[in-house]
Amino acid sequence: MTNIIPSCCEETECDCSFSTVKLRRRKGEEADSATRSEDKRTSVHWQWTLVVSLALLVLSHSVPPLGAANAEDFDCLMNPDEVIEVGSPVVGLLDEVLVDRGDTVRKGQIIARLESSAEQSTIALLETQANSVAVIEAQTKQVATADKRYQRVESLRDRGIATEEALDKAFAELVAAQSILIQVKLKHEVAVKELERAKVALEQRSIQSPADGVITERSLVAGERVSSEDHIVQIVRLDPLKIETFLPVSIYGKIAIGDEVTVVPVSPLSGEYTATVTVVDRVFDAASGTFAVVLELPNPNGVLPAGNRCIMRLISPGAK
């Protein structure tokens, strides 16, 4: 016998199968949605954790600990205190140069000499004249003799033996002798002064260092002529060093002459040094919005070289 399934039953079974499939699909979609929501919550959690960590890191670097000073760093340059081009006060021929580039010199040290044979001969002549007093001594005796003669004639005149004319003649001889003695003494004094001037002229032909420092350039050598416009050597003075920097006008008034600041040389130098403010410009540079500040850094024995860059560390007044 053939089982005949009513058409209504077939339709019911199909509907049931379709409902089961839809239910399973909905459950799968709900599971996927839950998984995505959980992943999203996890991602947001990590993002917030990263943001908070970065914020704490920034705060730890930007906010100083309690009691710490707020310091600002500015570029600066370490310059020599003086750069001296040493010339000659007189024109002449270089006889010798006693220093070379890199040599350390002291104030008053002779670094070069000009040819000075004529000056030495003049000094020898004037020394002979200045040291000789024979003429003065001889004329002094002449004055003494003339004075005695005058006194003798005066005594004879008083007794009526000598005439008035003889007395006048004796007096004239005394005055002449005294005048010659004055001239001889004056000539001797002039010879002494001339000797002193000749010695000064000779000293000017010995070129001395005007300051302690280091020779950085030798421009002329022995045998060359030195004019008033030439310089023989260049000397730099390294103690103290002159620190120059330009600061923004916004901090004008926060630094004053006499303040002490920290200077840190850049590589290859190292260390921290204390410098004193010596100049604060009162004229701003409108183009750059800055003003110049000069500091003095003690540099015994020239340990720190000049010409190196540095960092000037300025501590805010409110944080001191």
Side-chain angles (χ1 to χ4, degrees), residues 29-174:
E29 291 177 351
E30 290 176 353
D32 292 342
S33 177
T35 301
R36 286 194 299 270
S37 298
E38 182 65 24
D39 292 343
K40 186 176 182 180
R41 284 195 298 271
T42 301
S43 176
V44 171
H45 172 74
W46 282 108
Q47 289 176 0
W48 275 106
T49 301
L50 180 60
V51 169
V52 171
S53 298
L54 290 174
L56 291 175
L57 181 61
V58 171
L59 287 174
S60 66
H61 283 79
S62 61
V63 180
L66 185 61
N70 293 322
E72 298 179 87
D73 291 347
F74 300 95
D75 291 335
C76 57
L77 185 62
M78 303 165 64
N79 290 325
D81 183 51
E82 293 177 337
V83 178
I84 308 170
E85 292 184 344
V86 182
S88 172
V90 294
V91 177
L93 192 68
L94 265 178
D95 186 35
E96 58 180 344
V97 180
L98 304 174
V99 294
D100 204 349
R101 181 172 181 171
D103 290 347
T104 300
V105 294
R106 297 295 180 187
K107 183 177 181 179
Q109 177 181 338
I110 297 177
I111 58 179
R113 288 190 178 93
L114 301 182
E115 200 282 326
S116 57
S117 57
E119 287 74 15
Q120 292 176 3
S121 298
T122 302
I123 287 177
L125 176 62
L126 293 174
E127 282 179 343
T128 301
Q129 296 177 356
N131 294 333
S132 176
V133 293
V135 177
I136 296 176
E137 292 175 350
Q139 191 59 37
T140 302
K141 292 178 180 179
Q142 289 288 341
V143 171
T145 302
D147 184 56
K148 289 179 181 179
R149 183 182 300 111
Y150 172 76
Q151 292 177 8
R152 185 169 58 251
V153 172
E154 185 180 27
S155 176
L156 292 174
R157 192 274 317 262
D158 293 341
R159 288 184 293 171
I161 301 174
T163 62
E164 193 71 28
E165 183 181 356
L167 180 62
D168 292 341
K169 183 178 179 180
F171 179 73
E173 291 176 353
L174 175 60

Side-chain angles (χ1 to χ4, degrees), residues 212-231:
D212 296 347
V214 177
I215 304 294
T216 58
E217 177 187 343
R218 189 180 74 172
S219 303
L220 300 175
V221 297
E224 292 186 295
R225 181 177 176 81
V226 182
S227 69
S228 58
E229 299 178 354
D230 296 327
H231 69 274

Side-chain angles (χ1 to χ4, degrees), residues 262-266 268-273 304 311:
T262 300
V263 174
V264 182
V266 301
L269 305 181
S270 61
E272 295 186 356
Y273 304 87
L304 295 174
I311 300 297

